[in-house]
Amino acid sequence: MFNVGDLVEYIGFGKHNGELIGFMESTSDGKIGVRWLTTKFGYCAGSLSVFNNPLDYLRKIDKVEE
């Protein structure tokens, strides 16, 4: 599972080339979500997304590749 502060990339629909990166943070209602750092696939930088099954859509990464 993920922890608050983990850096993650979006891997949903087979898209996992580092284009959509974010970090895990907790929401006001106690859920854990992703605060996006980049914009891609309909997700906007700065927005927060909560996934019901985050392991299906996210992968933890160590750093952002340039």
Side-chain angles (χ1 to χ4, degrees), residues 10-49:
Y10 181 78
I11 60 170
F13 308 109
K15 300 174 183 198
H16 51 86
N17 54 6
E19 292 184 48
L20 186 58
I21 304 292
F23 62 91
M24 303 305 289
E25 73 174 54
S26 59
T27 64
S28 59
D29 59 355
K31 295 180 181 176
I32 190 164
V34 180
R35 180 71 63 183
W36 298 112
L37 300 172
T38 55
T39 298
K40 195 74 174 181
F41 313 126
Y43 297 100
C44 297
S47 65
L48 180 67
S49 299

